[in-house]
Every structure is written in structure tokens, then in C-alpha cells.
Amino acid sequence: MSGTKDCQAEFTMDYDPLKEMKAFGDTKAGVKGLVDAGIVEIPRIFIRPPNERAEELNMRKLTLQIPVVDLSGIQVQDRRKQVVDEIREASEKKTSLEYINHVTELGETLFALLSEALGLKPDHLKALECTKGQAVVCHYYPACGADNHTDPAFLAILLQDQIGGLQVMHNNQWVDVEPIEHGLVVSTADFLQFVSVNHRVVANKIGPRMSVACFFTGVFEPPKMYSPIKELISKENPPLYKEFLVSDYITKFFSKPLDKYGLDLFRL
């Protein structure tokens, strides 16, 4: 125990992670720039603190299987109901989903299935313009990771390679999201205001790790106010968060530490 404390003290002494992260961002070179520069040691901003690593070692390894949903055959009513039930169950567990045999217009299909899983009409989330606006981000992790966070979007669809390293928080424990060949990982995100998947990427000895994420961000222009889904609100189930403009949410999201929950900034 004393060794862990000594290591933690050494790790935090004269160390300002936000300052170092800003300096790293100001280089505009990204992680690949560090690799191209020939660094021999991983910068501290990419190393998990010793107390966090020690805490995980003391936790029981959770063997949760991330739900895998096959979207084929959803045009048939009985099969569609089965898929809707699978999505509802997975969303209630606050885990990511891995989809195989994905269909054309995947985003709109997912929003329609999610609408039904919430007990709404299939076009409900589309009518709220949740399907509009996409941002695509490419990630490159040369044997390093990303801190835990949720996403400022309605849904996130991730194509990851076979290296692994993605984890989601479930029942206060981190669970590996094992790559499935030709599969996509889908996470519900902050803008839905009822469940947002907390996730991170941990480093391993194999790299680099590459992934491509597509975020459904909703409408930026003209400004549109998004609020809790009225059909899901009642006296027994009151709203937890304020309505917001996407531009305002994004601004506040990136002004906070990455591991702080974005929705807390809009809590009622």
C-alpha cells in the first residue's frame, strides 16, 4: 500500500495534466506526431494514475458479454420485435452494442429501432431531427489510450480494428468490448438524456490501434432546442436535464475535463 502511495505522490508532483494536455494540443501534431518524432517514453498524460490501476486490480474481473445484435430480417414483424427487445435490454444495461450484418441507412434504422424500444412510433426520433448532422472522427492510438468519457451526440457508431482496448463501464466495473470482425459498436450518447455509455480506451502492448467513429449530433443550424422526450416524462418520471442547443452543449462539453459527465452541466 505504501508503495502505491509513494508512486502516486511521484506521479502527481509538479504535474498539471490540463496544462500538459493543452501544450500537446497546441502542437497540432497529434499522437502520430509524437511517434514520428521518435519519442522513447509515453507522456504522462497518456498514463493511467497508479491509484486507478491499483483500484482496478482489486476489483473482481467482470465477465459481461457485450450484447451482439444482428439486424438482418428486421423487415419481418416477428424478427423486428425480437431485435427491438434486444436493443431495449441492452440500453437498460447501459452497455454498448455490437452490430453484425448491418443494413443500408444504418443510422436511421437504429433510431427507428430505438424509438420502438422506448415505446414510441418508429419515426419519433427522426421527427425530432436526431438523425440529422453527422461528424466522423478518425482515431490513431500508438500503444496508448483515451480517458473515460461519454460522447456529445445522440448515437455513436464505431468501426474498430482487431487490436482491442475499448472498455465500457457496467455496474461500476470496466468491461472489455472485444472486437468482432465486420462488426460495428454502437453507443447511446448524451443528447438522448436518459442513458449515455461511459467508455475509455486502455493501452496494450500491441499497436497502433485505429478506429473510425461516426457521431449523430443533431441540428446545429438553424439553432434547434433539444429537450427531454415529452412522451417519456411524467410526474413519477420527471425530466433530469435542461433543454439545450447543440452548439451550447458542445461548447460546454469541451470546456470541462474529459472524465467529467457532460450532462451534469445541464442537470435540473
Side-chain angles (χ1 to χ4, degrees):
M1 181 65 71
S2 61
T4 300
K5 290 181 178 179
D6 292 342
C7 185
Q8 175 69 13
E10 180 180 350
F11 188 86
T12 56
M13 186 177 296
D14 299 325
Y15 173 54
D16 185 342
L18 293 180
K19 182 178 179 180
E20 291 202 15
M21 184 65 77
K22 183 179 186 305
F24 168 70
D26 289 343
T27 67
K28 308 297 183 184
V31 173
K32 190 175 186 303
L34 295 177
V35 177
D36 293 342
I39 63 168
V40 295
E41 292 186 358
I42 297 177
R44 284 182 295 182
I45 56 175
F46 299 114
I47 300 175
R48 294 168 60 197
N51 63 321
E52 184 178 313
R53 284 175 273 159
E55 178 182 352
E56 184 161 316
L57 287 174
N58 292 328
M59 290 166 52
R60 175 179 58 85
K61 181 66 174 179
L62 192 63
T63 56
L64 173 73
Q65 175 66 47
I66 297 299
V68 178
V69 178
D70 187 339
L71 297 184
S72 61
I74 60 172
Q75 294 80 7
V76 179
Q77 187 58 37
D78 288 346
R79 173 61 185 152
R80 187 180 186 90
K81 182 179 184 304
Q82 179 184 350
V83 171
V84 168
D85 290 342
E86 291 175 0
I87 290 176
R88 180 186 301 110
E89 181 180 358
S91 298
E92 289 172 350
K93 292 180 179 178
K94 299 184 179 181
T95 59
S96 293
L97 308 176
E98 295 202 62
Y99 289 85
I100 57 177
N101 296 338
H102 59 283
V103 297
T104 307
E105 304 291 342
L106 176 59
E108 291 193 0
T109 299
L110 291 171
F111 278 107
L113 293 170
L114 184 57
S115 293
E116 292 182 58
L118 293 171
L120 305 169
K121 294 181 179 180
D123 64 348
H124 192 94
L125 292 176
K126 182 178 180 179
L128 294 178
E129 298 186 296
C130 300
T131 60
K132 290 189 176 181
Q134 293 93 42
V136 176
V137 178
C138 300
H139 296 105
Y140 179 94
Y141 302 100
C144 68
D147 205 352
N148 61 294
H149 63 284
T150 58
D151 293 322
F154 287 101
L155 283 182
I157 302 177
L158 177 72
L159 171 65
Q160 60 174 340
D161 58 23
Q162 300 300 300
I163 298 297
L166 177 64
Q167 294 183 331
V168 297
M169 176 64 73
H170 178 72
N171 288 342
N172 296 317
Q173 296 195 48
W174 290 106
V175 181
D176 293 328
V177 181
E178 299 293 345
I180 294 179
E181 191 172 6
H182 307 306
L184 298 170
V185 180
V186 178
S187 300
T188 51
D190 291 358
F191 294 176
L192 288 174
Q193 295 195 25
F194 65 89
V195 57
S196 189
V197 177
N198 189 11
H199 56 286
R200 69 182 184 185
V201 177
V202 295
N204 53 42
K205 296 181 180 179
I206 305 173
R209 177 185 184 274
M210 291 174 281
S211 64
V212 180
C214 177
F215 301 97
F216 286 83
T217 57
V219 178
F220 276 86
E221 294 292 341
K224 175 182 174 61
M225 195 70 74
Y226 286 98
S227 60
I229 300 174
K230 294 181 174 59
E231 289 77 4
L232 302 181
I233 295 174
S234 66
K235 184 177 181 180
E236 295 74 24
N237 186 38
L240 299 178
Y241 307 102
K242 305 173 185 176
E243 58 183 8
F244 61 85
L245 297 173
V246 171
S247 57
D248 289 345
Y249 194 99
I250 296 293
T251 298
K252 291 187 177 183
F253 183 90
F254 287 107
S255 67
K256 67 172 184 60
L258 185 63
D259 61 348
K260 300 300 181 184
Y261 197 38
L263 276 173
D264 283 344
L265 301 173
F266 293 86
R267 186 175 291 276
L268 291 171

